Amino acid sequence: MSVRQPLAGLRVLDYAQYVAGPFAAMLLADLGAEVIKVEPPRGDAWRHYEPLTPDGGKWFLSLNRNKKSVIADLKTEEGQQFSKALIRSADVVIHNMPPGRARSFGLDKESVAAVNPQAVWCCVSAFGSDGPDASTLGYDLIAQAASGLLLADARPGDEVPRRSGGIAMADLTAGLLTFSAALIGLVDRLRGASPDAPARGIEVSLLGAALAVQVQRFVELSGDGGVDDSDTADGSFCDDDRLVEIAAAVAESDDLEPYYRCYRASDGYIALACLNLAQRVKVQHLLGIDDPWAVNPQAAPADESERVLRSGLKDRFAEVISTRPVRHWIARFEELGIPGGPVHEISHAHRSEQVRANGLVQTIDQPGVGTVSLLGSLFKIDGRAAPHARTAPRLGEHTEEMLEQLSQLQTSEGTAYQ
């Protein structure tokens, strides 16, 4: 029995390159939307990063399954006419171009609305459309640097700030936000006060996404020492001294938290994650350790002697946990209702029974590459995993198909697209 795809019948145009926009469009494709990737003659730049074939790299495959690819040279009149014809047929338009380039290519909100007022317009930019940095070129690393995210995992000994695990958190979070923006626009269109009301234009930025993943830290109380009105913008740059201070603060905070960290068992590593007092009390009983500060492990120490005592708790936890293997502790955790689990490498997920049971890994045959195991759909519809994914398209694979289809449609002026 096939799964009814909730977005079947909707057409999405993906003009975006690299990560955020294509990730959003792929999620829409996973839910049944027809996603047409509109690419320049050389293709999405991500095709050429760690290439496996002449027009498809490893990173490109991971973000562009279930899509069609057409070539439109937006620097030419012919390419822009092709683009306009596609926009007339679209429900959603996604791009990640700077404002000036978007206008010159007819992809700004006003230009898209002039061609198709019912098309939901989604733009993902580096720094947003307003403010002094609106036109500044930026990628994930730049957004993480601007937002403070790059320093969230600073560690003693770091010579320079670094991305945690090299993960594009701003890009991927922006992709999820852009996916949400497209759905919001579609819902709003359905609920519009008038069938002639124009669809929404919704913007997302990498800067906002990088702040979003720090939402719990992005709180500043008056008088908490976080703001110095005498500082200029230039004076707020992070330098060597501040990197050392921040790394020390991160390390001290980690040092005082014994309940939300990883430990070495006798044959591997386990993660312990207790976020409430009841769970912490269970761990104390299991390990035979008394902790008078378990009510609030994140509280600042009253003095140096308390800091030393609390810092020693994690060492006592580690000593006990190191005496038994991973499976022993996981079994005990499950028995007592303590959140915890073994530490795996990402490659384990490709073979994990749990991952596969939820459809989170799919195997496809990619032309020119062979068998590839990729992240599956993140959605289960009515208890069923999404259908098997189609491979990432070859550059321009569906151009002729789209040209033929559009040539059969009448434009608003009553003439067929040529």
Side-chain angles (χ1 to χ4, degrees):
M1 178 179 174
S2 61
V3 178
R4 182 177 64 85
Q5 295 288 72
L7 299 186
L10 294 176
R11 172 170 286 183
V12 176
L13 302 184
D14 175 14
Y15 288 86
Q17 298 192 43
Y18 297 105
V19 178
F23 183 39
M26 185 182 75
L27 296 178
L28 295 169
D30 286 348
L31 291 174
E34 179 192 33
V35 176
I36 301 172
K37 188 170 183 64
V38 187
E39 304 187 66
R42 192 169 182 270
D44 180 342
W46 221 221
R47 284 185 179 273
H48 310 291
Y49 193 85
E50 293 195 22
L52 298 172
T53 65
D55 65 356
K58 175 181 177 182
W59 306 103
F60 179 84
L61 298 183
S62 70
L63 294 168
N64 290 282
R65 61 161 181 255
N66 288 336
K67 300 180 184 180
K68 297 179 178 180
S69 170
V70 303
I71 296 174
D73 187 350
L74 299 181
K75 296 179 179 179
T76 68
E77 179 63 24
E78 181 182 16
Q80 292 208 20
Q81 288 302 315
F82 182 25
S83 177
K84 287 181 180 179
L86 287 169
I87 291 171
R88 288 189 189 99
S89 70
D91 296 283
V92 178
V93 175
I94 298 173
H95 81 79
N96 66 341
M97 299 178 189
R101 185 180 303 170
R103 282 192 296 273
S104 68
F105 288 166
L107 291 176
D108 59 297
K109 175 65 171 71
E110 292 72 24
S111 297
V112 169
V115 174
N116 180 358
Q118 295 303 301
V120 175
W121 178 86
C122 297
C123 170
V124 53
S125 64
F127 293 102
S129 60
D130 297 308
D133 298 327
S135 298
T136 301
L137 185 66
Y139 298 104
D140 176 86
L141 181 63
I142 307 301
Q144 290 203 35
S147 66
L149 182 56
L150 205 60
L151 297 171
D153 193 35
R155 297 289 174 172
D158 285 351
E159 294 183 0
V160 296
R162 55 182 174 76
R163 290 195 305 180
S164 181
I167 297 173
M169 285 187 279
D171 263 337
L172 295 170
T173 303
L176 292 170
L177 293 173
T178 304
F179 165 73
S180 300
L183 296 181
I184 290 166
L186 289 168
V187 170
D188 185 71
R189 189 179 72 174
L190 288 173
R191 299 174 64 189
S194 165
D196 298 325
R200 296 281 186 179
I202 305 178
E203 301 178 43
V204 168
S205 70
L206 299 187
L207 177 62
L211 291 172
V213 297
Q214 302 177 88
V215 63
Q216 294 183 111
R217 301 174 64 234
F218 196 60
V219 179
E220 199 162 68
L221 305 180
S222 177
D224 70 355
V227 179
D228 183 349
D229 292 334
S230 66
D231 278 352
T232 63
D234 289 344
S236 67
F237 293 158
C238 182
D239 57 18
D240 288 346
D241 291 339
R242 282 297 292 150
L243 180 58
V244 171
E245 292 174 10
I246 293 170
V250 171
E252 179 171 348
S253 175
D254 187 54
D255 201 42
L256 295 174
E257 172 56 271
Y259 299 98
Y260 207 86
R261 64 185 303 118
C262 292
Y263 290 98
R264 179 184 291 107
S266 63
D267 61 348
Y269 300 97
I270 62 171
L272 177 67
C274 299
L275 287 177
N276 63 57
L277 182 58
Q279 294 167 349
R280 296 175 194 133
V281 169
K282 290 177 182 179
V283 172
Q284 291 181 59
H285 291 163
L286 175 62
L287 302 181
I289 296 173
D290 181 52
D291 175 14
W293 300 284
V295 173
N296 185 7
Q298 297 294 327
D303 50 38
E304 179 62 16
S305 62
E306 180 183 318
R307 190 196 68 77
V308 172
L309 289 171
R310 288 173 56 185
S311 177
L313 280 171
K314 73 178 189 311
D315 299 325
R316 293 169 63 193
F317 277 41
E319 183 179 356
V320 177
I321 292 173
S322 68
T323 62
R324 298 294 186 91
V326 170
R327 283 189 172 85
H328 167 82
W329 293 117
I330 300 307
R332 295 292 283 138
F333 289 170
E334 291 178 355
E335 177 186 340
L336 297 172
I338 297 170
V343 176
H344 294 298
E345 296 180 51
I346 191 172
S347 59
H348 173 266
H350 288 276
R351 297 174 293 279
S352 165
E353 180 180 348
Q354 184 64 31
V355 170
R356 289 186 172 276
N358 286 280
L360 293 172
V361 63
Q362 291 189 345
T363 301
I364 62 174
D365 292 320
Q366 183 72 33
V369 177
T371 301
V372 180
S373 179
L374 297 171
L375 177 68
S377 173
L378 302 179
F379 311 100
K380 292 178 74 173
I381 309 298
D382 295 330
R384 297 175 181 272
H388 192 72
R390 299 194 310 273
T391 61
R394 300 188 308 275
L395 176 60
E397 180 179 348
H398 303 92
T399 303
E400 292 301 320
E401 173 189 330
M402 287 298 110
L403 285 169
E404 182 178 352
Q405 181 184 117
L406 293 172
S407 69
Q408 298 172 8
L409 298 176
Q410 295 296 311
T411 66
S412 58
E413 289 79 21
T415 58
Y417 169 74
Q418 299 293 334

